[in-house]
């Protein structure tokens, strides 16, 4: 199945820096403060669970870290019935060197729920763009 949403871009920040920021699974609020009330982490590393409370949204989003691969890949899934217009969400963040910086590809598969595929695609790609912008600004 092709990815349902993809965000791709490059930055002049080294891959190791971008990876360490995105792999900080409980640190999501640092990079997306305008949208997140809280992000609580249980555990560490692969298998850890983060519970996200979004501003203006009832309920929580619970995500499990599925994979961390050698500074180049991060994967996670939503594991609850989240208050988002999607279900069976799984994302993969791939990082590669790009000159002195880094190229990112953040993609996910999911099924729309109570919204069109295009509406959900725009919502999710917007989240990725805004989070990545925050990751870049954090430097």
């Amino acid at each position: 199945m092709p990815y349902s949403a993809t965000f791709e871009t490059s930055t002049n920040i080294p891959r190791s820096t971008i990876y360490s920021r995105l792999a900080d699974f409980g640190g999501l609020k640092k990079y997306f403060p305008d949208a997140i009330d809280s992000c609580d982490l249980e555990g560490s590393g692969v298998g850890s669970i983060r519970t996200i409370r979004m501003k203006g949204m009832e309920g929580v989003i619970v995500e499990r870290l599925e994979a961390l691969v050698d500074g180049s890949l991060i994967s996670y899934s939503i594991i609850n019935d989240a208050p988002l217009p999607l279900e069976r969400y799984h994302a993969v963040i791939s990082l590669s060197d790009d000159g002195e910086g880094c190229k990112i590809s953040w993609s996910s598969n999911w099924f729309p729920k109570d919204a069109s595929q295009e509406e959900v695609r725009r919502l999710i790609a917007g989240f990725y763009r805004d989070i990545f912008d925050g990751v870049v600004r954090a430097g």
Side-chain angles (χ1 to χ4, degrees):
M1 169 196 300
Y3 286 114
S4 300
T6 299
F7 168 75
E8 294 181 322
T9 194
S10 294
T11 180
N12 61 357
I13 299 172
R15 178 174 55 94
S16 61
T17 301
I18 296 296
Y19 179 82
S20 68
R21 291 175 186 171
L22 289 171
D24 176 12
F25 202 57
L28 188 60
K29 184 177 170 138
K30 291 185 277 193
Y31 309 118
F32 202 29
D34 294 341
I36 294 179
D37 270 331
S38 66
C39 180
D40 301 314
L41 185 68
E42 294 177 39
S44 64
V46 173
S48 61
I49 305 288
R50 69 181 173 195
T51 301
I52 304 164
R53 286 175 179 71
M54 302 285 290
K55 293 180 180 177
M57 185 182 289
E58 301 256 342
V60 297
I61 302 165
V62 181
E63 297 176 333
R64 179 179 49 233
L65 183 60
E66 306 289 358
L68 292 171
V69 179
D70 217 13
S72 63
L73 184 130
I74 301 164
S75 177
Y76 64 96
S77 298
I78 294 177
I79 60 171
N80 71 323
D81 185 15
L84 294 170
L86 55 79
E87 57 191 5
R88 296 192 291 193
Y89 173 95
H90 179 82
V92 175
I93 303 169
S94 298
L95 302 168
S96 59
D97 292 328
D98 186 18
E100 296 292 316
C102 171
K103 180 177 179 186
I104 183 172
S105 177
W106 193 335
S107 303
S108 59
N109 285 319
W110 37 263
F111 292 90
K113 178 177 73 176
D114 301 325
S116 73
Q117 176 129 351
E118 189 54 36
E119 289 172 308
V120 178
R121 180 180 290 119
R122 281 193 306 268
L123 173 73
I124 297 303
F127 283 166
Y128 298 162
R129 180 193 63 243
D130 292 346
I131 294 167
F132 188 72
D133 288 349
V135 165
V136 168
R137 281 192 310 271

